[in-house]
Amino acid sequence: MNVSFGFSQIQEHVQAANEAVGQAIIGLRGAPANLALLFTSAEFAHPMVLKTANNLLGEIPVLGCNSSGIITNKGILKYGIAVLLLSLGRQTFFNTACVKNINGENSFLSGKDLGSKLLYGFKEVRRSITIILSDKLITDGTNLISGLQEDLGKSFPLIGASGSDNFANQRAFQYFNNELVSDACCGIIFGGKFSFGFGTKHGWKPLGRIRTASKSSSNIIKEIDGEPAIKLYEDYFAKDMLELAKELRRISIFYPIGIYLPGEKEYLLRNVISIHDDGSLVTQGDVPQDSKIRLMISTEESRIAAAIAACEEAKRNLGNQKIKFVLVFNSAARFFLLGRQHEKEISVIKEAFGENTPLIGIYTNGEQAPLTSISYLGQTYFHNQSINILAIGDQ
Amino acid sequence: MFSFLVLGALSSIIVLALTLFYKMYRLKELNTKVAALKFSLEEMDEQAKLIMRTDIELNKTQEELDKKISGLDSLQKLSHEINTTLEEKQIFNKIDNRYLEQLGFEKAMAFLWKSFERELRLYLNIGYNQDESEKIKAEINLKKDYFLDLIENGLVASSVSSPEGFLAKDKINSLFQVNSFIICPVLTQEGDKGFIVVGTQNTETPLTKGDQELISILCNQIAQTLDNARLFEKTWKSQQELEMKVEERTRQLTSALDKVQKMSKRKSDFISSVSHELRTPLTSIKGYAAILLAGSLGNLPDEIKTKLEKINRHSDELVHMINDLLDIARIESGKVDMKLENLDLKAITEKIFDLLTPQATTKNISFNSNIPDNCQSVQADRSQIERVFINLVGNALKFTPQNGKIDINARCSNKIIQIDVKDNGFGIPEEAQDHLFEEFYRVDNKINQEVKGTGLGLALIKHIIEAHGGRIWVKSKLGEGSTFSFTLKTA
């Protein structure tokens, strides 16, 4: 496998796409490119960028999305375009697909549709991993994953992310070949000779009494321990509902809800995105009824330690394979929390994999990744505030 | 048997009662422990709440501090960048998205009010594409009165607080496609004023007064730099105009000088050729006069002789004048090579004094010279320097009354000797001193009316001194005498 990168921060769209893709093509030194990952800041979510990239790359599949920040070896690009080109060996196989117009009603079916599209022509191939990129405004992300897992299998490694937009709460775009789409989920499945190691962590620890989501449905927690869900935050932060309505979204970035998952080592985090008038909490990702939940707390040290642990886990899972490149899906909330220290997290990743190991990634608004399971390979969940490291091996 | 059974039953009852009692005791004990645990759990939960509340306050403080440090840091860097330019457009170009992000914003625009065109013109655009910025610009100009009011009153509008009567916050948010904004006037002392708007779509970080203060500092900085740039441009333009004028004047002067030089050369050529042409007939006139006076053509009556002597004398004067003119013309045109040699200044002055002693004696004028030992040797053309001395001392004799004195002093420094010829004669009027070295200039006084002269002597010696690389000047006061000074190089 050959890998190359290209970056650009030129203001003009076409020139920027030309520069980034051109650099990546040159970087492959004549090896044929089979697949391109394209990440851009919101300003470059433009059809001309895709058209230019496709013109330069020919017929190869292009997948990507926009994000509030692009993670690279050279630091974080808050503005610009990054391209990863892969030239895969003959024994490595992949397939790409995209489902559009996903909404709360059809997310399960859309997931299932994506799964079957990805598996089309892949029946005889040993499957390795699926990577998906989806719109962050798809509220029922859990059902989308469940749909995908219908065909792919519950313990089949599936990781993914939704692009972020600097907390603007606006639509993020996905790139599929020369299409700029939203309300969509695009994916890629790898198989054959393809090795990877994966690690996901968040660094939040539970604090306070265990509570039960006594009444919840999908991503709305109506009651906790028989009382309106908002009371949890009212009690802990000594603020009334009106005050919380203004700042709960922000507070929950610091103190998300943690769902205890029997058999899993880590709590699953959920950000609160809004409050209903009856005191129900709307979370990013579902909270099953009767889940044991707690408020979670973290420090800068615990979050950095989690990033290191995720890297170590990915390295351990990859075994002795030489690492070709590292793909990072890192929650935008972590970037926000680290503030001026945001380079710290990238530094520890670079330290873990070596300064010269190619690195590319995005800041995300919701991640999909398997939790490290005690008893089996690990089921994929929809996460908030996690750092996900995918180390791709040489073979 | 019965009693045995009763005993057994009794003992069983006792055991059961004891067990029950024990169990009840244990249950009570466990209940107490559960209650204690519950209490501890509640206490721990309360502690957890305290921890959360403290933590959120700490986080808030930390966040605000981080924001301030980051804002100040980028403000300092940005100020430095802005200060490096003195071009109006470049000042705004220095503000890029990197600095803006550090200040906590991702969109920015700057407008300056062009009073002549009556429009707010866009000078900075970060975070908007061409279509968006055109649309915003058009909308701003439609609502320009609101923004001009802000500028006029030096008010800041933001998501935190807006002045009364200004556009509603949601309208501003929608206009600039942001969730929080700060609009701050750029109040220059000179030229166009304007405003800067910065905004963010981030809904998680609320704007604070601190943000407003930072943007106000930035706007003040921009206003100051704009003032500097405009002042610089003004000064630069004046300087350019001045330089152009100087250039034009220099060109005119050069052209005039060229003309003067050409005319001077023509004059010198004319004098030279006329003098040559005059000398030939003069020589003949003098020759014939001499033949007639010698009586070679027979004796002449005394009256005729007297007339012939006059012809002869005037011819001599004319020859003298012609020679002076020719010398001036030659020196001016560089045709005379100065034969420089090391000369003894003392010897020259003594020779001159010897030469002129008869005239000095007649008027009882004393000669003095003060030439220090280290100023004795000069580098000059002997015959020409002697002419200079004869001329200056001769003039001094002419204009010094009976019992006067003439001093020749010398002093030297930096390989230059200054020689002063000083008399205590009548002196020269101030207005005449500037023209003294001009050709044919004669001071209008009684002596000059009586004593004939060509007015070429001082002009000639000026040329001689300048041809030696020196200069000559005069200091004089009426009734107190004159001092003619000139410089020569030491040997």
Side-chain angles (χ1 to χ4, degrees), chain A residues 155-185:
Chain A
S155 62
F156 176 67
L158 167 69
I159 72 153
S162 307
S164 59
D165 59 358
N166 206 15
F167 300 105
N169 209 18
Q170 287 180 348
R171 196 159 296 284
F173 291 95
Q174 297 80 55
Y175 311 140
F176 186 65
N177 299 330
N178 54 7
E179 285 184 90
L180 183 80
V181 288
S182 57
D183 293 325
C185 180

Side-chain angles (χ1 to χ4, degrees), chain A residues 78-79 166-168 170 207-209 211 235-238 247 249-251 254-255 295 297 336 340, chain B residues 42 45 48-49 51-53 55-56 59-60 63 66 69-70 97 101 106 201-205:
Chain A
K78 293 281 286 172
Y79 181 90
N166 206 15
F167 300 105
Q170 287 180 348
L207 189 72
R209 195 154 55 84
R211 286 168 161 82
D235 277 359
Y236 271 81
F237 295 99
E247 51 177 335
R249 198 176 142 87
R250 190 165 156 275
I251 289 177
F254 287 94
Y255 314 101
L295 269 191
I297 191 168
F336 165 76
R340 284 188 304 124
Chain B
E42 286 304 321
D45 202 42
K49 286 173 188 171
I51 292 170
M52 288 278 190
R53 287 169 201 171
D55 194 62
I56 198 168
N59 275 325
K60 259 189 185 170
E63 209 182 312
D66 256 23
I69 293 172
S70 165
N97 48 354
E101 268 165 26
E106 68 275 354
Q201 292 183 323
N202 189 338
T203 50
E204 303 309 316
T205 319

Side-chain angles (χ1 to χ4, degrees), chain A residues 29-273:
Chain A
R29 295 177 184 185
N34 305 117
L35 174 67
L37 286 182
L38 174 71
F39 297 124
T40 75
S41 60
E43 296 82 358
F44 292 90
H46 196 281
M48 282 310 290
V49 170
L50 291 177
K51 195 178 171 191
T52 310
N54 275 281
N55 282 346
L56 288 169
L57 292 166
E59 293 298 307
I60 69 163
V62 177
L63 252 86
C65 64
N66 71 295
S67 166
S68 58
I70 304 163
I71 299 163
T72 75
N73 279 61
K74 292 170 187 167
I76 295 157
L77 298 186
K78 293 281 286 172
Y79 181 90
I81 296 180
V83 181
L84 166 74
L85 280 187
L86 294 178
S87 175
L88 299 163
R90 283 184 180 179
Q91 288 170 300
T92 304
F93 303 96
F94 73 91
N95 193 16
T96 59
C98 188
V99 284
K100 301 167 202 169
N101 304 318
I102 306 171
N103 55 46
E105 308 294 311
N106 68 7
S107 52
F108 181 85
L109 286 174
S110 299
K112 199 168 166 5
D113 186 24
L114 181 63
S116 60
K117 277 181 177 169
L118 284 172
L119 286 176
Y120 182 78
F122 230 76
K123 301 281 183 208
E124 305 300 318
V125 181
R126 187 174 68 87
R127 289 176 274 153
S128 294
I129 191 171
T130 289
I131 301 169
I132 58 167
L133 297 167
S134 57
D135 193 329
K136 77 184 176 66
L137 293 188
I138 298 170
T139 48
D140 203 359
T142 313
N143 265 340
L144 184 79
I145 296 172
S146 301
L148 258 168
Q149 285 170 335
E150 275 282 299
D151 275 19
L152 294 172
K154 278 217 181 303
S155 62
F156 176 67
L158 167 69
I159 72 153
S162 307
S164 59
D165 59 358
N166 206 15
F167 300 105
N169 209 18
Q170 287 180 348
R171 196 159 296 284
F173 291 95
Q174 297 80 55
Y175 311 140
F176 186 65
N177 299 330
N178 54 7
E179 285 184 90
L180 183 80
V181 288
S182 57
D183 293 325
C185 180
C186 306
I188 178 165
I189 184 166
F190 286 102
K193 255 189 164 178
F194 189 85
S195 57
F196 68 92
F198 182 71
T200 182
K201 290 280 180 289
H202 49 67
W204 267 260
K205 304 288 171 202
L207 189 72
R209 195 154 55 84
I210 291 185
R211 286 168 161 82
T212 306
S214 48
K215 199 173 174 188
S216 75
S217 161
S218 185
N219 65 329
I220 299 169
I221 312 172
K222 291 193 160 97
E223 288 177 11
I224 296 170
D225 286 345
E227 291 189 291
I230 188 65
K231 198 156 187 313
L232 175 72
Y233 280 94
E234 282 178 339
D235 277 359
Y236 271 81
F237 295 99
K239 288 176 191 285
D240 62 24
M241 197 165 135
L242 271 176
E243 283 177 280
L244 284 171
K246 281 187 211 157
E247 51 177 335
L248 187 57
R249 198 176 142 87
R250 190 165 156 275
I251 289 177
S252 88
I253 291 172
F254 287 94
Y255 314 101
I257 290 172
I259 307 172
Y260 171 72
L261 297 169
E264 304 286 6
K265 281 180 180 173
E266 294 221 11
Y267 278 71
L268 199 57
L269 301 186
R270 289 289 178 259
N271 287 139
V272 178
I273 48 178

Side-chain angles (χ1 to χ4, degrees), chain B residues 9-257:
Chain B
L10 269 172
S11 53
S12 294
I13 288 164
I14 290 166
V15 168
L16 278 170
L18 282 173
T19 310
L20 186 65
F21 180 75
Y22 177 71
K23 289 276 181 192
M24 281 173 73
Y25 173 76
R26 284 289 295 156
L27 193 64
K28 199 181 168 187
E29 203 177 55
L30 279 171
N31 275 337
T32 315
K33 277 186 180 171
V34 166
L37 273 172
K38 261 190 175 174
F39 184 70
S40 296
L41 199 62
E42 286 304 321
E43 266 188 343
M44 278 172 67
D45 202 42
E46 288 304 313
Q47 284 166 2
K49 286 173 188 171
L50 279 178
I51 292 170
M52 288 278 190
R53 287 169 201 171
T54 314
D55 194 62
I56 198 168
E57 287 308 316
L58 280 174
N59 275 325
K60 259 189 185 170
T61 315
Q62 176 73 42
E63 209 182 312
E64 191 59 29
L65 198 66
D66 256 23
K67 218 163 111 177
K68 277 219 163 133
I69 293 172
S70 165
L72 284 171
D73 182 51
S74 53
L75 193 65
Q76 190 255 333
K77 285 179 187 155
L78 191 53
S79 297
H80 178 74
E81 280 276 320
I82 289 171
N83 277 333
T84 57
T85 183
L86 281 170
E87 215 180 304
E88 201 167 290
K89 281 232 161 184
Q90 281 298 319
I91 293 168
F92 290 105
N93 285 348
K94 295 279 176 186
I95 307 169
D96 65 16
N97 48 354
R98 201 163 27 110
Y99 293 121
L100 200 63
E101 268 165 26
Q102 282 168 6
L103 286 166
F105 303 94
E106 68 275 354
K107 288 175 187 282
M109 279 185 152
F111 291 89
L112 291 183
W113 172 244
K114 297 283 162 189
S115 48
F116 187 71
E117 293 89 350
R118 296 206 58 74
E119 67 158 9
L120 283 155
R121 193 171 291 168
L122 183 64
Y123 274 74
L124 168 75
N125 170 22
I126 297 175
Y128 301 98
N129 62 34
Q130 184 81 17
D131 295 344
E132 287 167 341
S133 68
E134 287 295 330
K135 206 174 143 195
I136 294 170
K137 191 183 150 190
E139 194 70 16
I140 291 251
N141 275 296
L142 270 178
K143 299 182 167 86
K144 59 177 178 285
D145 290 344
Y146 290 100
F147 295 94
L148 292 176
D149 262 4
L150 273 194
I151 298 166
E152 190 62 34
N153 298 309
L155 296 170
V156 178
S158 77
S159 305
V160 183
S161 64
S162 253
E164 215 174 293
F166 192 61
L167 290 165
K169 286 176 192 173
D170 56 340
K171 277 193 181 163
I172 301 280
N173 280 342
S174 138
L175 173 62
F176 292 105
Q177 301 161 27
V178 292
N179 289 316
S180 312
F181 67 89
I182 297 172
I183 301 172
C184 186
V186 176
L187 302 170
T188 51
Q189 301 287 325
E190 284 198 13
D192 309 323
K193 292 180 169 70
F195 70 90
I196 285 182
V197 54
V198 291
T200 176
Q201 292 183 323
N202 189 338
T203 50
E204 303 309 316
T205 319
L207 281 189
T208 60
K209 288 233 165 193
D211 293 312
Q212 211 168 295
E213 279 163 20
L214 281 179
I215 298 302
S216 297
I217 295 171
L218 176 66
C219 287
N220 285 341
Q221 180 72 47
I222 289 170
Q224 264 180 27
T225 316
L226 277 173
D227 275 336
N228 288 345
R230 284 164 187 169
L231 196 68
F232 174 78
E233 203 181 325
K234 220 170 158 183
T235 317
W236 190 77
K237 265 187 186 164
S238 314
Q239 196 192 325
Q240 286 294 103
E241 276 169 20
L242 196 70
E243 270 178 22
M244 273 169 71
K245 275 183 188 165
V246 168
E247 209 174 293
E248 176 61 24
R249 197 84 187 109
T250 311
R251 210 163 44 78
Q252 286 172 356
L253 286 172
T254 311
S255 157
L257 184 71

Side-chain angles (χ1 to χ4, degrees), chain B residues 352-354 356-357 360 365-369 393 397 405-407:
Chain B
I352 301 303
F353 284 162
D354 282 347
L356 298 172
T357 296
I365 289 171
S366 66
F367 283 138
N368 296 298
S369 83
V393 179
L397 275 171
K405 62 171 185 169
I406 294 169
D407 296 333

